[in-house]
Amino acid sequence: MNLDDWNLVFVSACLVVVLVVCAPVALAYLPRRGEPFMALALLGEEGMAEKYYPDDDPNIEVGERVDWTVYLYNHLGETRLVAVRVKLLDSTVSAPNSTSSTPSPAPVVYEIRRILLDNETWLHPFSWSIVDADGGDFRIVNMLSVNGYDSEVHAVSGDGDSLRMVFELWVYDEGLGEFRFGWGFGDELRCAWNQIWFNATSVQSRASTG
Amino acid sequence: MISKWLKGIKSSLLKDRVLVVSSFFVFFVFFMPVCAFCLGESGVDGVGSALESAEEAYFSAYLSVLEAERVGGDVSGLVARLNFVSRFLENGCRAYESGVVDVAVFSVGKALEVSDAVERDAVRLRDAAELRGEVLLRNRLVLSLLLVMVTVLLGFLGWFLFKRYYVRRLMGFRPEVIVDES
């Protein structure tokens, strides 16, 4: 190697060292990781994606307890206050719309609030039962008990129509000063919701089918 | 005569006292249920508005925690305390709906107390984190500049010394004379 080649080696080595030295300052201004999101899921009685109904039977009697677990994960890049709003829907009420990020118009039966740190996962037990329902071919569910609290509802199940428990994820928006269904991503609104179907049944109708 | 007069005054004073006391008694008997009703009503309404204030304090504390986090503060402890507040608020709300006023009052009071404390701590944390962030950035910049200058200087020095050594080594080579015998 002649002197010019050695010159090139020295200059390259200096440049590499300068870059390494400036890296800590540059790293502080690097853009954040990928798309921010939140995850909402429902798990069965053993904390897994199975055994959602007692004895795997979706026909729920009055007084029969159903145990689920609500799973939440925050990947929005910072701490967020969220609310999971639980609603009981029958066939006459529309479900949330993911395209327009519109919640269901049904009243809230139960609400879970939590502040989640960035990258935090949280599990919350959700036990519910039908407290009061009118009998006959059409079962009208009048009251649910959720985690020990009774809530009045009005949902009709019958003639092949099932009921569904819908879980909507609402995020507190600082600009609006209130909870909003979903979270903002650029100019768009993203949302997350879950639903589980079941039938409200009576002991007599269960016995007749069994 | 004076004693009679005194007796007269005493008896009239006594009569006045009796009149005043009995008036109060009558007032109390007739208006106490109304007062109790009003007090009772304002008690329940008071809990309702206290619940709203507690919720506002909770949201305000949450926003302060967010600000502290955005400037680099570790807010995990504050978040844990605010999650306790939400449980108090929930209990207070349920007790209020069930009419258990004393439980509602206790829960709301606790929620307000902790929310205010969290907000104060979040503001302090934010100020400390902002200061720490500025100092850290300044130190990093200064250190980086110093290291770049040292690197460049060492580079020039190293190149100068290497060049001298290289040329000296080159000059030390004896040229070989080849005799052409043709």
Side-chain angles (χ1 to χ4, degrees), chain A residues 103-122:
Chain A
S104 167
V108 177
V109 167
Y110 187 76
E111 183 173 293
I112 304 162
R113 278 190 197 176
R114 180 79 179 179
I115 301 177
L116 291 171
L117 294 166
D118 184 32
N119 275 328
E120 184 183 352
T121 299
W122 185 60

Side-chain angles (χ1 to χ4, degrees), chain A residues 125-138:
Chain A
F126 186 85
S127 295
W128 65 275
S129 61
I130 301 171
V131 175
D132 180 41
D134 296 332
D137 292 336
F138 289 88

Side-chain angles (χ1 to χ4, degrees), chain A residues 162-178:
Chain A
S162 300
L163 296 173
R164 49 181 162 171
M165 200 81 83
V166 167
F167 294 73
E168 295 173 346
L169 181 59
W170 292 61
V171 182
Y172 188 79
D173 187 300
E174 328 160 43
L176 295 173
E178 59 183 17

Side-chain angles (χ1 to χ4, degrees), chain B residues 3-14:
Chain B
S3 59
K4 269 188 189 171
W5 178 71
L6 279 171
K7 273 184 194 170
I9 290 173
K10 275 184 192 173
S11 67
S12 72
L13 278 174
L14 188 62

